[in-house]
């Protein structure tokens, strides 16, 4: 990576801030309080953590002197405690807040529809991602960018799914255990354990926090049907926002309660179906018809809520959004549970279908991806 | 528990809804679409999950007939598919949305200050909560109500902390492992592993989702200092809101990035310091000076952000908020990491201090508490 050098041409003192004019003529303003709070001398040498508390200096902290030292760094002597701080110009440029905020975060996002996120036949194998960090990086990158990735050739052996999680992070255990089995059982406490079709949904919206990654590993698939149905929830949300902005707002606004229990568990959590971040970008979808509790909104808003809920449901159920993937033994899908909805077609009692599932979290995936990207 | 019976006196048909007049003269309105979506016949008999999709009937679904049957249930025959639904009147009353929404959720919340959440000397012992479900219920209830609870007489043995988690839920593993050790180490990658004082903070705000419960188990405490400093973050937030509503709004509005890494981990997450729920109640605090990344808000908002951040920091640092608790070997505290901030006073190099920590989640705690409350 080429290192760009930044040169401070001149400095002007403002009332509450320092303005830097760069060699290219651009100008950045940094407030005194911000500079002092981010002084490198206030960071622990090994952990990089800040150990100087905001309250250890007054709100009116300001430079006694500001200059560019002989190494090109910005050198400030502070009033009142005469502490000296030296700032690297490249660091200042990188953390400048004078311009408009960068849109989105560092991870690229690509929306997809029924044609799927990418060509499934390009999926890497278990051996590739376990032996080759570049293959692992590309595979984790797909989950980050598309919200989903496929892995092939995963040993058809119960429990292997946790080894896949260990490639990047750790298992997020829930009431369903470290690993759970999705197959038909008598007296099912969850619709997942029947042969019924499941319409696309996100998992465990009745948890707070809910696991943000799901993995499903196919061990047996001998019957007709049981195809996986996958929907990019962010794509559906963006289309809802474009076509029906008012309905989109209804789903952002009203919290929905989801509840589920069996004899050993009684979970309940409330959050809107769609959440947007501070920049207005959708960052979370919670959608599971089967566990949605009776809705509570003011009387005169119930119809508009249902209108919005129906419009969103229609998008998700539409063939233009649903990508179909038949998992074969040894296939494993991993997806962002805040973004990608998964379901299945019904399957015959005659055949057998056995998936093993487990949860993890996107923050751990992004941590590993950040480290692999640096290498 | 006494069961109240509800009697439907009369029914009137509205354009989009059914109005019920109860025997006591009160009236509740239920929209057709809401009734159909919540029809008990649409729920799976064992799991209780809804299996009838919203899209399986039209938006204009409406009753062909509505009547009270001979058992007192509300009986509706639906147009267009002639499906019959029977609603229990008590269930309807409980789920009525005609009145104002109930404030808050089912769990009581009591704020506290430097005098602490309750009398620490009343803390139960490990043996009590492991043998007596009522003691366990009261103990978990303290975490729910006050955001914190103390347990005494926990065997001073490495790893016992996970047995405490198993009383109610499971461990939330992170990059720090299932269990982590808080004690002095050479070349610490985290300030926690030094003898330095730590100002009150919430843990791992650089994760998303962050663990919502933390447990700390004292194994050794032979030196001077190292007292635990505990602050009810919700109390500090409510006082900030009361005294400086505009500053409160600043902290709700602007996302703050927290970042932390060592050689194996590189975590980064962004969220406002204070989050409020749809009813405007504070439901999450993220506060950790040491890992806060350089702040980015528009240029002309930086000073007001810092003014708010400082005002909040001053409250947290104030002696009227900080409850001090010296943990002795065998003591264990468990707290809501979205609410209670924890820190410690500095301690001497001469003595030894060893805490074991681990994370879990509030949803699992509330699940167990809900089941124990039913018993």
């Amino acid at each position: 990576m080429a290192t760009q050098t930044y040169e401070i041409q001149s400095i002007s003192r403002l009332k509450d801030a320092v303005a830097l004019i760069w060699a290219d003529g651009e100008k950045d303003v940094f407030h005194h309080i911000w500079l002092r709070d981010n002084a490198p001398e206030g960071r622990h040498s090994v952990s990089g953590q800040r150990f100087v508390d905001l309250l250890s200096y007054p709100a009116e902290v300001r430079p006694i002197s500001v200059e560019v030292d002989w190494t090109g760094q910005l050198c400030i002597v502070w009033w009142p405690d005469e502490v000296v701080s030296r700032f690297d110009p490249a660091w200042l440029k990188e953390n400048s807040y004078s311009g408009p905020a960068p849109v989105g975060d560092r991870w690229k996002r690509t929306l997809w529809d029924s044609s799927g996120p990418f060509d499934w036949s390009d999926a890497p194998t278990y051996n590739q991602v376990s032996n080759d960090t570049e293959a692992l990086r590309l595979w984790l990158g797909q989950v980050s960018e598309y919200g989903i990735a496929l892995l092939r050739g995963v040993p058809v052996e119960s429990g292997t799914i946790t080894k896949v999680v260990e490639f990047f992070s750790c298992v997020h255990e829930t009431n369903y255990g470290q690993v759970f089995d999705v197959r038909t059982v008598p007296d099912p406490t969850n619709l997942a354990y029947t042969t019924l079709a499941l319409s696309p949904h996100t998992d465990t919206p009745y948890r707070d926090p809910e696991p943000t990654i799901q993995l499903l590993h196919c061990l047996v698939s001998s019957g007709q049907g049981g195809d996986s149905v996958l929907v990019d929830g962010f794509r559906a949300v963006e289309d809802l926002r474009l076509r029906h902005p008012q309905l989109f707002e209804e789903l952002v606004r009203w919290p929905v309660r989801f509840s589920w229990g069996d004899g050993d568990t009684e979970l309940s959590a409330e959050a809107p179906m769609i959440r947007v971040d501070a920049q207005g970008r959708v960052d979370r979808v919670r959608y599971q018809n089967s566990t949605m509790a009776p809705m509570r909104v003011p009387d005169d808003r119930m119809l508009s809520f249902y209108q919005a809920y129906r419009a969103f449901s229609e998008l998700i159920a539409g063939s233009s959004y649903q990508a179909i993937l038949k998992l074969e033994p040894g296939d494993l899908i991993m997806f962002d549970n805040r973004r990608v909805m998964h379901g299945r077609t019904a399957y015959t009692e005659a055949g057998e279908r056995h998936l093993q599932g487990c949860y993890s979290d996107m923050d751990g995936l992004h941590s590993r991806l950040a480290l692999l990207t640096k290498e």
Side-chain angles (χ1 to χ4, degrees), chain A:
Chain A
M1 196 161 71
T3 308
Q4 198 180 341
T5 56
Y6 291 96
E7 192 188 325
I8 300 168
Q9 189 86 350
S10 67
I11 303 168
S12 53
R13 302 277 303 261
L14 311 175
K15 181 169 170 287
D16 299 308
V18 170
L20 303 183
I21 314 292
W22 301 93
D24 64 3
E26 285 213 22
K27 183 173 117 176
D28 283 319
V29 170
F30 298 95
H31 289 87
H32 299 153
I33 191 76
W34 185 96
L35 285 165
R36 181 60 192 263
D37 190 32
N38 290 297
E41 295 76 15
R43 295 269 183 173
H44 189 254
S45 57
V46 183
S47 71
Q49 285 171 278
R50 183 187 287 103
F51 61 85
V52 174
D53 197 271
L54 188 68
L55 301 181
S56 64
Y57 45 85
E60 303 75 23
V61 68
R62 61 177 184 268
I64 295 170
S65 69
V66 193
E67 55 177 22
V68 180
D69 71 12
W70 64 276
T71 66
Q73 296 203 308
L74 183 75
C75 176
I76 298 180
V77 180
W78 294 104
W79 176 91
D81 51 10
E82 298 186 24
V83 162
V84 179
S85 301
R86 286 175 203 275
F87 296 89
D88 176 49
W91 183 91
L92 286 168
K93 194 72 202 167
E94 189 188 338
N95 289 284
S96 161
Y97 51 91
S98 297
V103 174
D105 58 16
R106 64 177 289 193
W107 305 109
K108 191 179 167 193
R109 177 188 289 184
T110 302
L111 305 182
W112 46 274
D113 58 19
S114 63
S115 52
F118 41 73
D119 190 342
W120 298 116
S121 61
D122 292 340
T125 64
Y126 179 84
N127 282 339
Q128 284 169 328
V129 302
S130 58
N131 293 323
D132 174 5
T133 55
E134 178 60 10
L136 178 61
R137 186 184 71 79
L138 290 171
W139 189 64
L140 299 178
Q142 289 183 321
V143 181
S144 175
E145 179 173 352
Y146 301 99
I148 188 165
L150 172 65
L151 193 61
R152 292 224 144 116
V154 181
V156 181
E157 206 173 298
S158 177
T160 309
I161 194 168
T162 62
K163 292 191 188 155
V164 176
V165 176
E166 284 161 15
F167 291 159
F168 63 94
S169 183
C170 53
V171 170
H172 182 144
E173 187 174 342
T174 68
N175 52 296
Y176 300 111
Q178 286 259 330
V179 169
F180 51 91
D181 291 283
V182 184
R183 59 180 160 191
T184 313
V185 299
D187 293 329
T189 57
N190 196 303
L191 290 183
Y193 311 147
T194 66
T195 60
L196 293 173
L198 296 177
S199 54
H201 60 278
T202 62
D203 253 28
T204 67
Y206 39 80
R207 295 209 82 113
D208 175 26
E210 82 272 45
T212 55
I213 286 183
Q214 179 166 183
L215 296 93
L216 288 171
H217 177 206
C218 181
L219 296 178
V220 183
S221 174
S222 66
Q224 289 290 311
D227 297 1
S228 294
V229 180
L230 301 159
V231 172
D232 183 355
F234 286 0
R235 174 63 182 262
V237 167
E238 291 303 348
D239 286 0
L240 180 71
R241 164 145 59 180
L242 202 66
R243 293 183 211 169
H244 308 288
Q246 283 172 322
L247 300 184
F248 165 82
E249 288 299 337
E250 290 287 320
L251 299 186
V252 170
R253 175 172 181 186
W254 299 112
V256 177
R257 181 163 290 279
F258 295 92
S259 300
W260 180 82
D262 57 13
D264 301 318
T265 309
E266 187 165 312
L267 289 161
S268 194
E270 197 176 71
M273 280 195 198
I274 299 172
R275 197 181 74 172
V276 294
D277 66 16
Q279 280 110 36
R281 292 210 322 170
V282 51
D283 77 348
R284 187 164 302 193
V285 177
R286 282 170 119 103
Y287 181 85
Q288 190 179 76
N289 176 266
S290 62
T291 59
M292 196 173 139
M295 192 63 198
R296 174 176 273 279
V297 291
D299 199 296
D300 57 351
R301 303 306 297 261
M302 192 58 86
L303 289 178
S304 53
F305 171 80
Y306 265 100
Q307 197 190 345
Y309 175 30
R310 179 173 287 265
F312 191 39
S313 297
E314 280 170 348
L315 285 180
I316 294 159
S319 59
S320 58
Y321 292 90
Q322 299 193 342
I324 309 293
L325 178 66
K326 171 82 173 174
L327 294 181
E328 301 296 342
D331 289 351
L332 179 149
I333 48 173
M334 172 157 88
F335 48 92
D336 183 341
N337 187 46
R338 298 172 302 190
R339 170 175 174 181
V340 172
M341 299 172 189
H342 66 290
R344 65 159 185 246
T345 59
Y347 61 102
T348 50
E349 301 272 359
E352 201 191 338
R353 181 178 185 268
H354 181 189
L355 302 185
Q356 235 172 22
C358 121
Y359 298 116
S360 184
D361 282 304
M362 284 299 285
D363 56 0
L365 183 143
H366 276 135
S367 167
R368 187 85 175 110
L369 192 53
L371 289 167
L372 289 171
T373 303
K374 265 188 190 170
E375 277 173 6

